[in-house]
Amino acid sequence: MPLLSPRIRETQNPPIPAVRAWAARYDGAAGPILDLTQAVPGYPPHPDLLAKLAGAAGGRAAATYGPIDGEPALREALAADISAFYGARVPTEAVAITSGGNLAFTMAMAVLAGAGEAVMLPAPWYFNHRMALTALGIPCVPLECRAEDGFIPDPDRAEALMAGVRAIVLVTPNNPTGAVYPPGVIARFAALARKHDAWLVIDETYRDFLAPSQSPPHGLFADRDWGEGFIHLYSFSKAYCVPGHRVAAIASGADFRSELMKALDTMQICAPRAAQTALAWGVEALRDWRLANRDLMAARGEAFRRAAAQLPGWRLDALGAYFAYLRLPEDAPEAVATAERLVVERGLLGLPGPFFGPGQERHLRLAFANASEEVIAQVPSRL
């Protein structure tokens, strides 16, 4: 048999299907399965957005190719939204629309890193980011984040690891921990990247769920020359409850963008057109609905905090956005074994820490976004 790509063979297997496969052995004794593996909102899209999606999908334009960098109306709407959210002017020409957040990251990395150039990922990391780097053949430099620091990455520790690093990637609010990086920390990473002639890439998929006191999350867009070293990634999946429609965005400067256009045309040609049309309307029209969902998600986070307080031996090391990051009791087996036992014996599906990188053998991630407060209240009895 002919050989397959060694890079893909070395890429981590998809974690969520692996955990869900364990559920085939659950006998139902503890009650219905509680699946807290995937970061998905537990409420439907707004009905008016669904109507717009249906109408756009039935039109002839949705079946044709669209602009490589996205529908102008959506690019303009998102640029205005970014400008309002961060208190800075971001022009429409800085925004490109992509077929989902994972592809946005993959294309950005393909543009940034060449042969022998590495990308720094704080650990624990979003597993699909690590998988993309492996598949692209880009070396990864892990930056350990510690529970005692609230899983906030330390720029001083990063400084010692910058040799050969072409880009630093931050995810805030973070997946898997939920940690929100302070603006001062982000500013220090921006300065570190500039010092070493590297790029700073910030994935802000969950920024719509920041508390008002946490907004704006940073001041990078206020720099007139922000596009010369900073790249912003955003996804519509969470805030608008449309992960199946695969629409995300990259905001960048002109030099990066000119090279990005090659990756856009090669890897996607264009993002789904019907969803772009509907979302162009929804960015402004659904602002109040998005804010209400932010408050709903904050209430679920507090419900999980109350639930975790009922768990002797467990420790809630971080919580935010969609995620709770729990430290296992001292007498529990390591995370993979514990996670499998929780699925098979208690019907609770979560992701063990090692799926998110090295040094995570004592942690479990539970994504509570798809669970009502009533369901969250059942978590202590399962754990």
Side-chain angles (χ1 to χ4, degrees), residues 120 143 153-163 165-170 184-200 220 229:
M120 179 181 290
L143 173 62
D154 184 343
D156 291 333
R157 298 179 69 209
E159 173 96 59
L161 303 172
M162 287 300 295
V165 169
R166 174 56 57 199
I168 304 168
V169 176
L170 304 180
V185 170
I186 295 174
R188 289 176 63 197
F189 271 104
L192 177 65
R194 285 194 300 270
K195 177 180 177 181
H196 290 272
D197 197 26
W199 291 85
L200 178 62
L220 300 187

Side-chain angles (χ1 to χ4, degrees), residues 126-216:
Y126 174 45
F127 51 76
N128 281 141
H129 284 177
R130 182 66 180 95
M131 292 166 71
L133 294 180
T134 306
L136 291 169
I138 298 172
C140 173
V141 175
L143 173 62
E144 179 189 1
C145 298
R146 301 176 296 192
E148 56 265 35
D149 298 329
F151 290 104
I152 304 298
D154 184 343
D156 291 333
R157 298 179 69 209
E159 173 96 59
L161 303 172
M162 287 300 295
V165 169
R166 174 56 57 199
I168 304 168
V169 176
L170 304 180
V171 180
T172 178
N174 185 256
N175 179 2
T177 67
V180 177
Y181 301 168
V185 170
I186 295 174
R188 289 176 63 197
F189 271 104
L192 177 65
R194 285 194 300 270
K195 177 180 177 181
H196 290 272
D197 197 26
W199 291 85
L200 178 62
V201 180
I202 307 185
D203 184 329
E204 300 186 75
T205 292
Y206 300 95
R207 57 97 160 162
D208 294 281
F209 301 97
L210 288 167
S213 61
Q214 297 169 318
S215 300

Side-chain angles (χ1 to χ4, degrees), residues 305-329:
R305 194 179 299 277
R306 293 192 299 271
Q310 305 172 34
L311 295 168
W314 293 79
R315 190 173 80 196
L316 183 60
D317 275 345
L319 182 145
Y322 280 21
F323 309 110
Y325 208 57
L326 289 165
R327 180 180 291 274
L328 275 58

Side-chain angles (χ1 to χ4, degrees), residues 46-57:
H46 193 283
D48 292 345
L49 181 61
L50 289 174
K52 294 280 186 181
L53 284 164

Side-chain angles (χ1 to χ4, degrees), residues 18 22 78 109 134 149-150 190 210 212 215 217 243 254 370 372:
W22 295 337
L78 183 58
M109 295 302 104
T134 306
D149 298 329
L210 288 167
S215 300
N370 69 334
S372 66

Side-chain angles (χ1 to χ4, degrees), residues 46-295:
H46 193 283
D48 292 345
L49 181 61
L50 289 174
K52 294 280 186 181
L53 284 164
R60 183 175 178 180
T64 65
Y65 288 124
I68 293 171
D69 55 355
E71 301 296 321
L74 180 56
R75 293 173 53 225
E76 181 179 358
L78 183 58
D81 187 65
I82 293 173
S83 299
F85 190 86
Y86 295 91
R89 183 182 178 276
V90 175
T92 298
E93 57 265 27
V95 174
I97 304 301
T98 70
S99 297
N102 279 2
L103 188 57
F105 177 83
T106 300
M107 290 189 291
M109 295 302 104
V111 172
L112 290 179
E117 295 173 330
V119 169
M120 179 181 290
L121 295 183
W125 50 54
Y126 174 45
F127 51 76
N128 281 141
H129 284 177
R130 182 66 180 95
M131 292 166 71
L133 294 180
T134 306
L136 291 169
I138 298 172
C140 173
V141 175
L143 173 62
E144 179 189 1
C145 298
R146 301 176 296 192
E148 56 265 35
D149 298 329
F151 290 104
I152 304 298
D154 184 343
D156 291 333
R157 298 179 69 209
E159 173 96 59
L161 303 172
M162 287 300 295
V165 169
R166 174 56 57 199
I168 304 168
V169 176
L170 304 180
V171 180
T172 178
N174 185 256
N175 179 2
T177 67
V180 177
Y181 301 168
V185 170
I186 295 174
R188 289 176 63 197
F189 271 104
L192 177 65
R194 285 194 300 270
K195 177 180 177 181
H196 290 272
D197 197 26
W199 291 85
L200 178 62
V201 180
I202 307 185
D203 184 329
E204 300 186 75
T205 292
Y206 300 95
R207 57 97 160 162
D208 294 281
F209 301 97
L210 288 167
S213 61
Q214 297 169 318
S215 300
H218 57 75
L220 300 187
F221 282 115
D223 185 340
R224 184 181 62 181
D225 299 321
W226 66 267
E228 293 182 4
F230 165 50
I231 296 165
H232 164 82
L233 306 182
Y234 177 74
S235 171
F236 294 89
S237 294
K238 317 301 180 182
Y240 298 88
C241 306
V242 289
H245 286 281
R246 311 310 303 139
V247 184
I250 300 174
S252 65
D255 289 345
F256 174 88
R257 179 183 171 79
S258 66
E259 300 304 308
L260 175 66
M261 291 294 286
K262 303 173 188 177
L264 291 168
D265 192 46
T266 301
M267 297 187 188
Q268 69 175 29
I269 301 181
C270 65
R273 299 197 71 189
Q276 290 187 71
T277 299
L279 288 166
W281 164 84
V283 169
E284 181 57 38
L286 298 180
R287 187 175 301 278
D288 290 344
W289 178 78
R290 288 157 55 200
L291 292 175
N293 289 335
R294 178 199 65 190
D295 296 340

